[in-house]
């Protein structure tokens, strides 16, 4: 798994590539919590994520909860069909705002002065 983080118009864009599973979910958790401590608006790009396990889902859910408590928000973008299926099967697709692309995700992010 590889994680890259950059700022786009005051929004944290976190791109994750490779497999997200129990062997690296601690790394994802660390990177996500660091991003949350620095920014309340996060877009997670999963275009290059090949797989996500329950441990990866747990990290994203915990991050979403943490952001909600801080009046922040998380949007997931560009999910590959296999990753989208995991969210659907787990019943989590309805809990996350999921957009097709960054171009769709940026305007969906609430404006915060």
């Amino acid at each position: 798994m590889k994680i890259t983080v950059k700022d786009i118009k005051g929004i944290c864009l976190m791109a994750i590539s490779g497999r997200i599973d129990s062997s690296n979910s601690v790394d994802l958790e660390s990177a996500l919590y660091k991003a949350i401590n620095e920014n309340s608006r996060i877009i997670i790009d999963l275009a290059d994520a090949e797989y996500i396990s329950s441990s990866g889902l747990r990290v994203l859910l915990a991050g979403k909860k943490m952001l909600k408590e801080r009046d922040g928000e998380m949007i997931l973008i560009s999910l590959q069909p296999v990753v989208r299926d995991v969210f659907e099967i787990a019943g989590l697709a309805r809990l996350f705002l999921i957009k097709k692309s960054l171009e769709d995700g940026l305007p969906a992010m609430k404006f915060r002065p």
Side-chain angles (χ1 to χ4, degrees):
M1 179 186 71
K2 181 179 176 191
I3 301 171
T4 57
V5 178
K6 64 181 173 179
D7 182 88
I8 297 179
K9 300 178 184 177
I11 297 168
C12 175
L13 175 65
M14 179 178 288
I16 305 169
S17 61
R19 293 178 57 86
I20 305 167
D21 56 32
S22 60
S23 70
N24 55 29
S25 63
V26 172
D27 298 331
L28 173 59
E29 184 175 55
S30 176
L32 182 57
Y33 289 2
K34 181 180 186 300
I36 289 169
N37 284 325
E38 295 172 0
N39 198 318
S40 64
R41 300 183 304 157
I42 298 176
I43 294 178
I44 299 185
D45 183 350
L46 296 170
D48 295 323
E50 302 163 4
Y51 171 80
I52 186 165
S53 71
S54 59
S55 58
L57 292 175
R58 180 194 56 78
V59 170
L60 294 180
L61 275 170
K64 181 170 177 46
K65 181 180 177 188
M66 188 182 291
L67 280 165
K68 186 176 182 179
E69 290 169 355
R70 298 175 183 202
D71 196 30
E73 86 183 292
M74 175 189 294
I75 295 177
L76 306 179
I77 63 168
S78 306
L79 278 68
Q80 293 299 317
V82 68
V83 172
R84 174 92 188 198
D85 288 348
V86 172
F87 277 86
E88 294 285 346
I89 291 166
L92 300 177
R94 60 183 161 70
L95 297 179
F96 287 91
L97 181 55
I98 300 173
K99 294 294 183 176
K100 291 183 181 181
S101 67
L102 181 59
E103 291 74 25
D104 293 333
L106 282 173
M109 187 65 70
K110 293 177 189 162
F111 174 75
R112 302 209 193 285

